[in-house]
Amino acid sequence: MAYVHTQLDTDSLNNPLIDTHIHIDSYPVDQQLSILESLPGCEVDTIISVSMHLGSCQRNLELARQYIGRVQAAFGFHPEQEIPSPAAINALFDFMESHVDEMVAVGEVGLPYYSRLEALSGGKKWDNRPYEDLLEQFIIIAKKHDKPIILHAVYEDANIACDLLEKHGVTSAHFHWFKGAPETIQRMAESGYYISFTPDLIYEEEIRELARVYPAKQVMTETDGPWPFEGPFQGQMTHPHMTADVAAAWAEIQGLDQPAARRILYDNARRFYRLG
Ligand SMILES: [Zn+2]
């Protein structure tokens, strides 16, 4: 049975929101369905569900077909994992090529900042080259099919990602849950790249500072669920309705009223993901 997206009343007090980065397939199945059923009631009209690997792509595609418009599927390979075999990489690329019309974006892809840090701090050797090569392949796919790309690339890794995007002339890039140096922030902003804020915008000063300086036309809301949050969200299951808290925090930082802030964040996401 398909659940067709119903248009929200735009005259309601709050404008709708989009969770531009969630791993809906990573929740237990009963939670996947209860979250998706609850979205209209919390004024989140679309989620962009990013994929970890091939199996994750397949599940996200199923959900996108079941919840038309409410779930938009992105296909990729999360970089904080061991590099797959060449056969597994080819199987993933084949899947992406054969479902390109149902792929809203390439993602989640990027570079393994946290895995590398952990390996190096444990005295292990690290070779970043295979990850950079794989990211470049995904960038080539995004370019070939004119799709946006969703990046996990923080701190110095964001510069490597920027170099690769520039090399291939890809301008439609979303650096999710980004953090980085002021020069990198400036470079990304000037390149027209988008970033998104998670619920940690409420309590992380580094992110709040980023929200003060990043162009308002290039920011969106996300949860990265099921990743858990701290502060007022401690112990709660991460749910797309938390994008309302993100929007409220961004509104306050920007000195905007909440409906105006939500409208900007929503329009940015619809424009970036070409949701019409
Ligand atoms: Zn993610």
Side-chain angles (χ1 to χ4, degrees), residues 152-170:
H152 167 105
V154 296
Y155 299 113
E156 57 266 32
D157 284 354
N159 289 310
I160 302 172
C162 286
D163 290 345
L164 289 171
L165 292 167
E166 285 169 17
K167 178 177 170 188
H168 293 283
V170 170

Side-chain angles (χ1 to χ4, degrees), residues 119-172:
L120 296 177
S121 67
K124 295 193 188 121
K125 280 185 146 178
W126 183 265
D127 181 8
N128 216 45
R129 196 67 237 172
Y131 290 95
E132 292 174 27
D133 290 345
L134 184 57
L135 173 57
E136 186 163 11
Q137 303 249 49
F138 284 122
I139 289 172
I140 289 167
I141 292 173
K143 178 73 181 177
K144 177 181 169 192
H145 297 291
D146 188 26
K147 296 283 181 182
I149 188 164
I150 305 159
L151 293 152
H152 167 105
V154 296
Y155 299 113
E156 57 266 32
D157 284 354
N159 289 310
I160 302 172
C162 286
D163 290 345
L164 289 171
L165 292 167
E166 285 169 17
K167 178 177 170 188
H168 293 283
V170 170
T171 53
S172 192

Side-chain angles (χ1 to χ4, degrees), residues 225-268:
W227 186 270
F229 289 91
E230 298 165 24
F233 310 103
Q234 183 86 41
Q236 290 180 38
M237 178 191 77
T238 297
H239 186 287
H241 71 66
M242 292 175 181
T243 53
D245 300 291
V246 179
W250 187 74
E252 184 242 307
I253 289 166
Q254 290 282 316
L256 295 166
D257 62 49
Q258 284 195 44
R262 290 170 67 118
R263 167 60 67 186
I264 292 169
L265 294 161
Y266 183 75
D267 287 349
N268 289 349

Side-chain angles (χ1 to χ4, degrees), residues 167-242:
K167 178 177 170 188
H168 293 283
V170 170
T171 53
S172 192
H174 169 192
F175 285 72
H176 102 94
W177 206 344
F178 173 73
K179 12 200 139 156
E183 312 79 65
T184 313
I185 293 168
Q186 193 180 349
R187 177 181 184 183
M188 285 170 38
E190 285 172 0
S191 300
Y193 301 149
Y194 284 55
I195 62 170
S196 49
F197 301 116
T198 73
D200 79 347
L201 180 61
I202 283 102
Y203 57 85
E204 277 292 345
E205 187 45 42
E206 180 185 12
I207 305 294
R208 294 176 69 80
E209 178 54 28
L210 177 61
R212 282 180 201 111
V213 300
Y214 212 80
K217 278 275 190 206
Q218 292 159 239
V219 297
M220 304 183 285
T221 48
E222 66 152 309
T223 62
D224 204 18
W227 186 270
F229 289 91
E230 298 165 24
F233 310 103
Q234 183 86 41
Q236 290 180 38
M237 178 191 77
T238 297
H239 186 287
H241 71 66
M242 292 175 181

Side-chain angles (χ1 to χ4, degrees), residues 30-152:
D30 58 329
Q31 285 180 13
Q32 293 174 21
L33 302 181
S34 74
I35 289 169
L36 290 168
E37 291 298 325
S38 70
L39 292 184
C42 55
E43 297 183 306
V44 173
D45 75 358
T46 308
I47 62 168
I48 308 292
S49 192
V50 294
S51 300
M52 297 290 293
H53 44 65
L54 179 57
S56 169
C57 294
Q58 288 162 337
R59 178 61 181 153
N60 279 321
L61 178 60
E62 276 174 24
L63 290 169
R65 285 175 174 172
Q66 195 180 347
Y67 291 88
I68 296 165
R70 203 177 295 177
V71 177
Q72 299 281 350
F75 302 140
F77 180 84
H78 195 292
E80 303 281 359
Q81 305 176 86
E82 253 181 59
I83 287 281
S85 67
I89 292 174
N90 284 332
L92 174 59
F93 289 165
D94 286 348
F95 176 90
M96 293 170 79
E97 290 283 343
S98 55
H99 298 95
V100 76
D101 293 340
E102 294 172 278
M103 175 172 78
V104 72
V106 173
E108 179 170 2
V109 299
L111 295 166
Y113 181 83
Y114 300 104
S115 305
R116 186 177 70 242
L117 210 62
E118 193 183 320
L120 296 177
S121 67
K124 295 193 188 121
K125 280 185 146 178
W126 183 265
D127 181 8
N128 216 45
R129 196 67 237 172
Y131 290 95
E132 292 174 27
D133 290 345
L134 184 57
L135 173 57
E136 186 163 11
Q137 303 249 49
F138 284 122
I139 289 172
I140 289 167
I141 292 173
K143 178 73 181 177
K144 177 181 169 192
H145 297 291
D146 188 26
K147 296 283 181 182
I149 188 164
I150 305 159
L151 293 152
H152 167 105

